[in-house]
Amino acid sequence: MHFFLVPFFCSVLIIQYFSIFGTLFSNKIILKTNLDKLQVVIQIYSSYNRRAERRMRMKKSQIVMSEGSIWKNMLLFTMPIFIGQLFQQFYNTADSLIVGNYLGSKALAAVSSSGNLIFLMVGFFNGMSLGAGVVISKLFGAKDERRMKQMIYTTIALSFLIGIVLTILGRWLSPLLLVWMQTPSDVMEQSNLYFSIYFLGSLGLILYNFLSGIMRAVGDSTTPLYFLILSSLLNIALDLFFILVWKMGVDGAAWATILAQFVSAFLLLIWMQKKGASYSIELKKIRFYPGCLKEILVYGLPTGVQNSIISFANVIVQSNINAFGAMAMAGCGAYSKLEGFAFLPIMSFNMALSTFVSQNIGANQLSRCKKGANFGILCSMLSAEIVGLLFMLFARELIGLFDSNKEVIEFGAQRAWCNCGFYFLLAYSHAAAAILRGYGKPMVPMYVMLLFWCVLRVSFLMVTGYLFHDIQFVYWVYPLTWASSSIVFYFYLKQRIFALM
């Protein structure tokens, strides 16, 4: 009997064994499935956490001007712009230093006198960028993100269009303008070569200015700084390589500039596609959105016309300087490169003032707007005047860095002694114009600049040039027109703007 029970117990044990084994195998599958699910959750969380950290880093670079300390926000916003402008001025100056020391006085005259003509061609379109920045700042202050994104995409689309148009216009018009400016025949060939190459890079220049303007409009002045530093260092390196290694002339300086501009614009466009910041974009959404272009034009056209007015008058001034020969061109061109350093605090605080006023108007913070405007004006005037006084003291030594020719140094130093002591007036006029743009009155600075910086400046030069033919009158036209516009701006701001805040 016991013999027959053995198979029964064995079968029970076998069944139990397979049951236990099946349970363990099933539990292993369940455990593996749960572990896989847990791993997916961890990966999703890690990815989200990385994106969140990146968003936090990008948002930390943005400054909301309608909140917090006025002076602290404005200085934090201004300093990266100032540093970026400083690097840009360094590489502009490096162009002239390298050209002047290795290619001679005539090549220096061709390159260093180019600023006024370039600003004439580019200034109008950069005014459009400033107008777009004002609109974007207001929408950012009002927290209207959907409309702000549409405005950003429209602004980028506009920059591509403008870049193409400027390339065509620059190549076509620059030879005619050089003749009209009375460029001396011994400088004409090199000037024409420089400009014919320079305007091939118009798209890179315009695109960078528009993209960095968008970022500043939403409070990020730090990120454009990094790309501008990269562009500046690349430009200097290419200058040295093309001129010293490849033995190129002014065409090497032009190629160095446009290649550096394209690199910075391309990298900035890639950066703006990163997620997390207010200005993040998708390339497929870049187009003109209904109503956006009209709004940009309302603010941008007056500013563009204002820039064109200033640059047109400066071209007239340059043509008067050209009449005194290549040495006068080289000396005043070297001075212009140094004057650019005085413009650094002026332009930096201008951008800060325009953004500050626009954001606070959008947030309906009028009393805060007035306090910030007064602080920005004071900082701009003081910093510009300090730089001006330093230039007056060391004028000969600084001009001598560009060219050792005594005649060139004398022309540049004389202009510095006439102009540098009045930089505080230049700073006030630009600051007032920036405040009015941010406030929504871009027509006012346009009219003031048209009257004083164009009509008065050109009329003064025509009369004094006919009666005296003395370059000193060309130098003194700037302080005269700076003072005239500053007086008008002072009373307008006091009675029409600040009285309402």
Side-chain angles (χ1 to χ4, degrees):
M1 184 177 179
H2 294 287
F3 175 78
F4 292 106
L5 290 176
V6 172
F8 173 75
F9 284 116
C10 287
S11 62
V12 169
L13 287 173
I14 291 170
I15 293 171
Q16 188 67 24
Y17 171 79
F18 280 108
S19 174
I20 294 171
F21 179 80
T23 303
L24 289 173
F25 184 75
S26 175
N27 286 341
K28 184 178 180 181
I29 293 174
I30 293 170
L31 181 61
K32 186 177 186 304
T33 303
N34 289 336
L35 285 173
D36 289 341
K37 288 180 181 179
L38 181 61
Q39 189 174 7
V40 170
V41 170
I42 291 171
Q43 288 176 347
I44 293 172
Y45 175 77
S46 299
S47 175
Y48 173 80
N49 195 40
R50 284 195 298 271
R51 289 197 299 270
E53 287 177 357
R54 187 169 62 209
R55 283 197 296 270
M56 287 298 295
R57 285 196 301 270
M58 296 179 80
K59 286 185 178 295
K60 280 181 181 179
S61 64
Q62 292 181 240
I63 298 172
V64 181
M65 294 289 202
S66 57
E67 302 171 2
S69 170
I70 292 174
W71 68 267
K72 184 178 179 181
N73 281 353
M74 189 168 290
L75 291 178
L76 285 174
F77 185 84
T78 303
M79 284 309 297
I81 299 176
F82 176 80
I83 296 170
Q85 296 283 330
L86 183 63
F87 270 88
Q88 190 170 33
Q89 190 59 33
F90 271 134
Y91 86 67
N92 286 335
T93 305
D95 268 353
S96 296
L97 284 170
I98 295 167
V99 169
N101 283 282
Y102 292 99
L103 300 179
S105 298
K106 291 180 181 179
L108 174 63
V111 173
S112 62
S113 63
S114 63
N116 290 324
L117 180 54
I118 290 171
F119 192 66
L120 175 64
M121 301 295 291
V122 176
F124 175 79
F125 299 116
N126 279 345
M128 303 294 289
S129 170
L130 292 173
V134 169
V135 179
I136 293 168
S137 288
K138 285 188 174 182
L139 293 171
F140 181 75
K143 295 180 171 56
D144 187 351
E145 187 171 346
R146 185 188 68 82
R147 186 63 174 169
M148 185 184 74
K149 285 283 189 181
Q150 292 180 347
M151 198 66 67
I152 288 173
Y153 287 124
T154 301
T155 300
I156 297 173
L158 181 62
S159 71
F160 278 103
L161 177 62
I162 288 174
I164 295 169
V165 170
L166 184 58
T167 301
I168 298 169
L169 284 178
R171 294 275 294 179
W172 175 51
L173 289 176
S174 55
L176 302 174
L177 290 171
L178 286 169
V179 174
W180 178 62
M181 290 170 62
Q182 303 178 51
T183 304
S185 57
D186 56 348
V187 180
M188 176 64 77
E189 184 180 352
Q190 294 190 78
S191 294
N192 198 19
L193 176 61
Y194 183 82
F195 284 117
S196 65
I197 297 170
Y198 182 90
F199 280 108
L200 289 175
S202 298
L203 179 59
L205 173 64
I206 293 295
L207 183 60
Y208 173 82
N209 287 342
F210 271 71
L211 294 178
S212 58
I214 290 168
M215 299 175 83
R216 284 192 292 266
V218 297
D220 184 0
S221 59
T222 304
T223 304
L225 166 66
Y226 301 141
F227 296 100
L228 188 54
I229 291 174
L230 174 64
S231 174
S232 303
L233 296 175
L234 179 60
N235 193 341
I236 294 171
L238 290 174
D239 266 333
L240 294 169
F241 180 75
F242 289 149
I243 293 174
L244 299 184
V245 179
W246 278 16
K247 305 299 181 183
M248 297 174 73
V250 294
D251 53 336
W255 281 115
T257 299
I258 68 171
L259 288 173
Q261 287 171 352
F262 268 114
V263 168
S264 61
F266 179 71
L267 292 177
L268 197 56
L269 187 64
I270 293 174
W271 176 267
M272 289 184 70
Q273 294 175 61
K274 292 180 178 291
K275 304 294 183 183
S278 304
Y279 50 74
S280 297
I281 62 169
E282 297 177 50
L283 293 180
K284 63 183 180 181
K285 294 183 179 180
I286 296 175
R287 62 179 181 273
F288 292 101
Y289 285 81
C292 290
L293 182 59
K294 180 181 178 181
E295 200 168 348
I296 291 172
L297 293 177
V298 167
Y299 284 90
L301 278 177
T303 308
V305 171
Q306 174 192 317
N307 285 348
S308 296
I309 289 166
I310 296 171
S311 56
F312 172 77
N314 287 338
V315 167
I316 298 294
V317 174
Q318 185 64 49
S319 66
N320 278 263
I321 292 170
N322 293 353
F324 291 91
M327 296 302 103
M329 288 178 66
C332 292
Y335 162 79
S336 297
K337 295 298 181 182
L338 294 173
E339 186 184 53
F341 287 97
F343 268 94
L344 298 181
I346 294 173
M347 299 311 296
S348 300
F349 278 106
N350 280 4
M351 294 178 189
L353 279 167
S354 184
T355 303
F356 183 91
V357 172
S358 299
Q359 286 193 17
N360 281 279
I361 291 294
N364 200 28
Q365 301 259 14
L366 297 182
S367 60
R368 178 183 175 86
C369 195
K370 180 180 179 179
K371 292 176 183 176
N374 284 323
F375 177 76
I377 289 173
L378 179 63
C379 290
S380 182
M381 292 176 69
L382 282 175
S383 54
E385 190 61 19
I386 290 170
V387 175
L389 293 175
L390 288 172
F391 284 170
M392 286 181 69
L393 290 173
F394 302 102
R396 289 183 184 276
E397 291 80 5
L398 292 170
I399 299 295
L401 294 174
F402 295 87
D403 198 316
S404 58
N405 187 301
K406 290 184 179 180
E407 192 177 358
V408 171
I409 294 172
E410 191 63 26
F411 275 115
Q414 284 180 8
R415 185 171 178 186
W417 295 330
C418 291
N419 291 177
C420 292
F422 300 95
Y423 281 165
F424 71 97
L425 295 172
L426 174 65
Y428 184 84
S429 288
H430 276 292
I435 291 167
L436 290 167
R437 277 197 302 272
Y439 191 79
K441 293 185 176 292
M443 299 297 290
V444 176
M446 186 191 77
Y447 290 136
V448 173
M449 299 301 188
L450 174 63
L451 178 61
F452 295 108
W453 289 28
C454 186
V455 175
L456 178 59
R457 190 172 288 179
V458 173
S459 301
F460 181 85
L461 288 174
M462 289 176 65
V463 172
T464 56
Y466 177 77
L467 294 175
F468 306 105
H469 192 67
D470 186 343
I471 200 169
Q472 291 291 329
F473 289 98
V474 181
Y475 298 157
W476 281 104
V477 72
Y478 283 103
L480 172 65
T481 51
W482 295 341
S484 302
S485 60
S486 293
I487 291 169
V488 173
F489 276 132
Y490 172 78
F491 285 107
Y492 189 91
L493 286 176
K494 183 179 180 181
Q495 296 175 7
R496 298 293 185 90
I497 304 298
F498 291 159
L500 303 177
M501 293 182 176

